[in-house]
Amino acid sequence: MSKVKVVYWSGTGNTQMMADKIAEGIQAAGKEAEVLSVDAVSAEELAEEKAFALGCPSMGVEQLEEGEMEPFMCDLEGQLSGKKVVLFGSYGWGNGEWMDDWVERCENAGAEVIGREGIICMGEPDDDVNDELIEAGKNLTAV
């Protein structure tokens, strides 16, 4: 694994900030991070990696963004078996149900979700969430 990929979709910039913090953790662990918008990578390319991070905010009625991230996940889902994944995203309402559903979806596809849950925050990530994201980035390099 030459670079650890952090793939995300962000509408307001909050999830992008989260992606950058994961990359910071990857770099702190001595690896190179590659932060990519979901439209800049194919599911087939990502499936070649052993470990990666995926980020998407809650949209609509607590679901993944439907135009880019959901189709990407549909393409990736059948290729998740044996992968180690960090899931993250922000939200502005609700209780985080979209993340619980996303974790379950990935685990049902055979992925190991690092930390056994996704990392979420309401709005912009605060210092505690940033620390959690940095730690998750470090954990991605240990595979």
Side-chain angles (χ1 to χ4, degrees):
M1 173 168 37
S2 58
K3 294 181 183 178
V4 180
K5 290 181 173 48
V6 181
V7 177
Y8 71 94
W9 186 92
S10 186
T12 63
N14 293 333
T15 302
Q16 182 177 2
M17 283 188 264
M18 296 175 81
D20 291 339
K21 286 297 176 182
I22 291 175
E24 188 177 316
I26 292 166
Q27 293 164 346
K31 299 286 184 174
E32 189 174 349
E34 185 173 13
V35 180
L36 301 162
S37 175
V38 70
D39 62 355
V41 64
S42 70
E44 293 75 25
E45 179 184 350
L46 192 60
E48 294 175 8
E49 306 296 328
K50 294 179 184 176
F52 47 85
L54 294 171
C56 185
S58 173
M59 302 294 290
V61 288
E62 295 223 41
Q63 61 197 32
L64 296 177
E65 186 276 328
E66 294 180 300
E68 294 181 56
M69 186 54 94
E70 180 58 35
F72 181 83
M73 278 304 301
C74 288
D75 291 344
L76 182 63
E77 202 163 359
Q79 303 174 76
L80 283 175
S81 184
K83 307 297 181 193
K84 304 222 187 265
V85 180
V86 167
L87 299 177
F88 64 96
S90 63
Y91 64 103
W93 61 89
N95 63 5
E97 182 181 334
W98 104 99
M99 185 58 75
D100 295 338
D101 293 344
W102 198 12
V103 168
E104 182 178 356
R105 180 178 180 182
C106 289
E107 288 177 339
N108 287 343
E112 177 188 332
V113 177
I114 296 174
R116 303 191 62 156
E117 60 184 30
I119 302 169
I120 62 174
C121 66
M122 183 173 271
E124 189 173 319
D126 62 17
D127 289 342
D128 290 339
V129 172
N130 284 334
D131 290 345
E132 190 176 355
L133 292 161
I134 291 168
E135 190 62 31
K138 291 176 184 176
N139 290 338
L140 268 177
T141 67
V143 292

